[in-house]
Amino acid sequence: MSNPAYRRVLLKLSGEALMGSDAYGINRATILRMTEEIHGIVSLGVQLAVVIGGGNIFRGVAPGAQGMDRATADYMGMLATVMNGLALQDALKNHGVETRVQSALNIDQVVERYIRPKALRYLEEGKVVVFAAGTGNPFFTTDTAAALRGAEIGAEVVLKATKVDGIYSADPNKDPNATRYSSISFDEAIVRRLEVMDATAFALCRDQKLPIRVFSINKPGALRRVVCGEDEGTLVQV
């Protein structure tokens, strides 16, 4: 069995990844498969925090949100991430993984409020911590929340789970000549406008010297291989 290369990691999981083949919402088979992968790395002794998006839920109400005030729409998106966080917590519980959901918005009857020392204690106890509601502020993406929380908890790497197996020179679905980078610098990724994460998240990770590993969440065993330091996906570093 491979030994983990990291002691503490931050996994950025998009809401869209939970949809599976569905148009929106949460695909049960997909979330169960993801929780099996998460259970596998937790069993290695890796401390895991998750920042989850809300696009799978917000997509269902997006037509009605057209023309809506941006801040209002962003708060709706934050609430969607809380719903996803609860679904992930429930699925992990069924795999025997203790999980705590902490929200940047105060919803005390449903989830805990984000408190950094408490999150750190949970991680040290071997619990998975799911950070919901982004940064708690409009105009910031959940990618930026992942960079922020990763820096706050002292993660050794941010794992960006996507539908493609790394960062490419162009969209591999549109350009058959697109090539995958095994590694790339933050500055190069920003200059080339490689839109895997937004520029704010890239800049924050660069300034904190917090590397990002981009990989496919749909590839069986990819999460475990990344955590064990194998050549999977694309590494973004200083």
Side-chain angles (χ1 to χ4, degrees):
M1 181 181 293
S2 300
N3 293 320
Y6 305 104
R7 175 175 173 269
R8 179 178 294 167
V9 301
L10 188 291
L11 174 65
K12 169 54 173 61
L13 190 61
S14 70
E16 285 83 353
L18 301 178
M19 295 191 307
S21 58
D22 297 339
Y24 56 86
I26 300 171
N27 182 282
R28 190 64 181 172
T30 299
I31 196 171
L32 288 177
R33 179 180 57 78
M34 290 180 180
T35 52
E36 287 176 1
E37 299 242 358
I38 290 173
H39 176 263
I41 67 169
V42 171
S43 66
L44 294 176
V46 176
Q47 296 178 14
L48 176 69
V50 181
V51 167
I52 195 162
N56 58 317
I57 294 174
F58 192 74
R59 178 177 294 188
V61 298
Q66 291 181 4
M68 184 180 291
D69 177 76
R70 168 65 189 276
T72 299
D74 281 357
Y75 281 120
M76 290 173 62
M78 291 179 214
L79 294 175
T81 71
V82 175
M83 296 171 67
N84 281 336
L86 290 170
L88 184 61
Q89 180 186 43
D90 182 76
L92 286 169
K93 178 183 177 182
N94 291 334
H95 277 84
V97 179
E98 282 199 73
T99 308
R100 298 291 184 269
V101 180
Q102 291 195 337
S103 169
L105 296 177
N106 294 340
I107 318 176
D108 294 339
Q109 293 90 338
V110 182
V111 293
E112 297 181 22
R113 182 169 55 178
Y114 169 65
I115 300 175
R116 179 175 174 269
K118 186 178 283 190
L120 292 172
R121 187 176 78 243
Y122 287 150
L123 290 170
E124 293 287 351
E125 292 171 351
K127 298 179 176 71
V128 172
V129 181
V130 180
F131 297 122
T135 66
N137 302 289
F139 309 108
F140 290 94
T141 68
T142 50
D143 281 346
T144 299
L148 176 63
R149 297 290 184 247
E152 285 183 301
I153 66 170
E156 296 168 77
V157 65
V158 171
L159 306 180
K160 165 76 172 181
T162 70
K163 294 182 178 181
V164 294
D165 61 341
I167 299 177
Y168 283 76
S169 56
D171 188 339
N173 295 319
K174 297 178 181 178
D175 186 352
N177 296 317
T179 57
R180 181 177 66 85
Y181 299 102
S182 59
S183 66
I184 191 172
S185 71
F186 284 109
D187 290 337
E188 189 175 1
I190 293 171
V191 169
R192 294 193 179 189
R193 297 184 179 181
L194 301 175
E195 298 176 353
V196 155
M197 295 183 84
D198 64 79
T200 303
F202 270 140
L204 180 55
C205 286
R206 177 193 62 194
D207 293 346
Q208 297 302 315
K209 295 181 174 57
L210 177 60
I212 302 170
R213 173 72 72 170
V214 181
F215 71 103
S216 173
I217 193 63
N218 296 323
K219 192 174 178 181
L223 178 58
R224 188 186 188 96
R225 288 192 293 274
V226 166
V227 167
C228 290
E230 297 182 24
D231 184 18
E232 183 75 40
T234 301
L235 179 64
V236 188
Q237 57 189 341
V238 176

